[in-house]
Amino acid sequence: ADAAAVLAAMPPPASQHSSSSRAWLECSICLQDLREASTEERLALPCAHVFHAACVEPWLRSHSECPECKTPVR
């Protein structure tokens, strides 16, 4: 399946990370600050890990799990 189909099939994330969690501050793919990205530029997977959409979409084209925790997303 293509990345758009995977993204469309995913349920919305259960929740955002708590403010005490450092994980949501940085995209673990490019290591850049997520706080500077707009809502449209960020993508939260069902496991609630958040990435830049431009970083995680290529990953999802060839993988069916979160790049951070390996939770299935399809």
Side-chain angles (χ1 to χ4, degrees), residues 24-25 32-39 41-42 52:
W24 67 271
L25 298 176
Q32 298 298 310
D33 196 331
L34 284 167
R35 293 172 294 180
E36 297 176 9
S38 70
T39 303
E41 294 171 323
R42 294 187 303 255
H52 290 111

Side-chain angles (χ1 to χ4, degrees), residues 15-72:
S15 66
Q16 293 296 321
H17 293 279
S18 70
S19 60
S20 63
S21 173
R22 185 176 161 352
W24 67 271
L25 298 176
E26 183 177 273
C27 175
S28 65
I29 296 172
C30 71
L31 306 178
Q32 298 298 310
D33 196 331
L34 284 167
R35 293 172 294 180
E36 297 176 9
S38 70
T39 303
E40 294 79 26
E41 294 171 323
R42 294 187 303 255
L43 179 64
L45 298 183
C47 57
H49 284 114
V50 182
F51 306 91
H52 290 111
C55 295
V56 77
E57 286 172 352
W59 168 270
L60 292 173
R61 286 189 198 107
S62 59
H63 298 83
S64 60
E65 70 276 342
C66 170
E68 186 76 24
C69 67
K70 307 302 184 204
T71 297

